[in-house]
Amino acid sequence: MRRLAVAVAALALLLAGCSDVETSSGKPTFGGGSLDGGDPQSASVRSAVQDAGVRPCSDLPLADASAEGDGALPTLELPCLGGDGSVDLSRLRGPAVVNFWASNCKPCREELPLLARLDRDTGDRLTVVGLDVRDADPDAAVALARRSGVTYPQLSDPTFRTRGAFRVLGLPQTVFVDAQGRMVATERVPYTSYADLTGAVRQHLEVQP
């Protein structure tokens, strides 16, 4: 019975990120609403990304071939938020932190400034990547990134193709990727302090922020 109670409590915690969103504006909740997000490469999004100083996807460390072995990143071509072209996730190399978020996710809004600080503090020792999931308003996503001080590269998943491959149960979700492009850990709770975030980076990737 105790194990069952713990499992139920854990599931409730995982789903907290799903329900803590704004829906009055018609934006999708994690589990419903619009099936597709807005155009992540529209002219307005491109302009907003440039104004916000978000770095291009070309800054990401990409290998010539897909990763192999247990935990290898899936082969998924995702468009760059506000940029040209797309990125095959299977070619991403770490150490890297991939953060799944959306503009209508309250815990994501509170977490983004911590990730922005992590990106600044670690420089070229760690890659931080944002993945904007099924966002009905990519312009709002870029505006949020700007307010949060986010300048690390951003990908977009307007149709939620990453859901199964990464077992996304709620937002935010953070995936830790090693130098070989393998997923070594997944955290499905929001980070509420910088100490918690940097502690996870040290634990999973052995990088000292």
Side-chain angles (χ1 to χ4, degrees):
M1 289 296 293
R2 185 175 181 276
R3 289 184 178 180
L4 177 60
V6 171
V8 171
L11 179 60
L13 183 62
L14 290 175
L15 294 178
C18 307
S19 58
D20 198 4
V21 295
E22 296 174 353
T23 58
S24 59
S25 64
K27 297 175 182 178
T29 64
F30 181 78
S34 173
L35 293 178
D36 295 339
D39 181 2
Q41 295 181 324
S42 67
S44 63
V45 176
R46 288 172 182 269
S47 177
V49 162
Q50 291 178 356
D51 291 343
V54 174
R55 300 196 299 276
C57 293
S58 57
D59 280 6
L60 294 175
L62 302 177
D64 293 334
S66 300
E68 298 180 352
D70 294 340
L73 285 165
T75 301
L76 283 174
E77 286 275 349
L78 296 178
C80 300
L81 181 64
D84 293 323
S86 60
V87 170
D88 179 356
L89 279 180
S90 69
R91 295 174 53 208
L92 179 68
R93 295 295 181 268
V97 170
V98 182
N99 180 253
F100 293 68
W101 65 288
S103 64
N104 61 335
C105 163
K106 182 179 179 182
C108 302
R109 293 198 294 268
E110 296 170 348
E111 185 182 68
L112 284 174
L114 303 179
L115 289 155
R117 180 180 171 185
L118 178 69
D119 175 58
R120 293 192 298 270
D121 288 353
T122 54
D124 59 5
R125 293 180 290 114
L126 179 73
T127 296
V128 181
V129 187
L131 209 166
D132 186 33
V133 175
R134 210 178 72 178
D135 213 316
D137 192 354
D139 290 282
V142 178
L144 172 59
R146 182 172 189 168
R147 292 195 304 271
S148 303
V150 167
T151 58
Y152 51 84
Q154 298 290 325
L155 302 176
S156 178
D157 183 10
T159 58
F160 212 174
R161 296 165 56 215
T162 54
R163 185 172 195 170
F166 288 93
R167 299 180 182 178
V168 183
L169 302 179
L171 298 178
Q173 173 168 310
T174 305
V175 175
F176 298 82
V177 180
D178 68 12
Q180 288 72 46
R182 297 176 303 210
M183 297 177 284
V184 296
T186 299
E187 298 280 359
R188 294 184 172 89
V189 293
Y191 293 104
T192 57
S193 74
Y194 191 60
D196 288 344
L197 175 58
T198 54
V201 170
R202 283 191 291 269
Q203 176 186 353
H204 301 310
L205 298 175
E206 299 182 354
V207 173
Q208 297 295 327

